[in-house]
Amino acid sequence: MSSKQDYKQPSRWTTAVDTAQSRAYALRRTAATIAAGTLAVFMGFHVVFGQNGLIAYEHKREDTKALQVQMQTLQQENDRLRGHVDRLQNDPGAIEHQAREELHYTRSGEVIYTLPPNPQPSTAPNASKP
């Protein structure tokens, strides 16, 4: 009967192996937790500050808004110029007006008076006045 009792109780060797296995399991678990935490921090940093992260995304959105405003301004100018070209192609009065403005054309018998540009006022007071 004593051999059955010895068989049921673990030996020192079995207890030592079980203790070593549980310590190794705890160590692996701790190492895995630290590795997962480090990976999560790295991924979070990359999501915010990476090449295509949130910061870069915000800059791209600002650039997109600025380009849309510029595109709208250019579209309005394009429409204005297209209307001007259409008037020049179809309206003789517009052609005459353009020729008078840019080329200084006149009709027979007309006289054009051209004034000199306004002189710039002197900002420094004249010290030679009596």
Side-chain angles (χ1 to χ4, degrees), residues 5-116:
Q5 288 178 352
D6 290 337
Y7 179 73
K8 288 184 179 181
Q9 289 187 355
S11 67
R12 286 185 186 182
W13 174 255
T14 308
T15 306
V17 169
D18 287 343
T19 305
Q21 285 178 346
S22 64
R23 284 184 184 166
Y25 176 75
L27 183 63
R28 283 194 313 253
R29 187 172 176 184
T30 304
T33 303
I34 290 172
T38 304
L39 182 63
V41 168
F42 176 74
M43 292 296 288
F45 182 81
H46 182 69
V47 165
V48 174
F49 298 107
Q51 185 176 4
N52 290 323
L54 294 176
I55 304 293
Y57 178 71
E58 276 301 313
H59 289 297
K60 288 177 184 178
R61 283 184 59 160
E62 290 171 5
D63 290 344
T64 301
K65 287 179 184 178
L67 288 174
Q68 285 176 345
V69 168
Q70 183 182 8
M71 186 175 71
Q72 186 178 17
T73 304
L74 290 173
Q75 186 65 39
Q76 290 172 350
E77 183 180 355
N78 192 11
D79 291 340
R80 183 183 59 80
L81 291 174
R82 189 172 293 139
H84 186 69
V85 167
D86 185 46
R87 282 190 305 278
L88 287 175
Q89 287 177 345
N90 299 322
D91 185 15
I95 296 171
E96 180 183 348
H97 177 72
Q98 191 75 23
R100 287 174 170 264
E101 285 288 321
E102 288 185 13
L103 303 174
H104 302 290
Y105 282 3
T106 61
R107 290 184 182 166
S108 61
E110 286 184 338
V111 177
I112 296 180
Y113 294 101
T114 307
L115 300 175

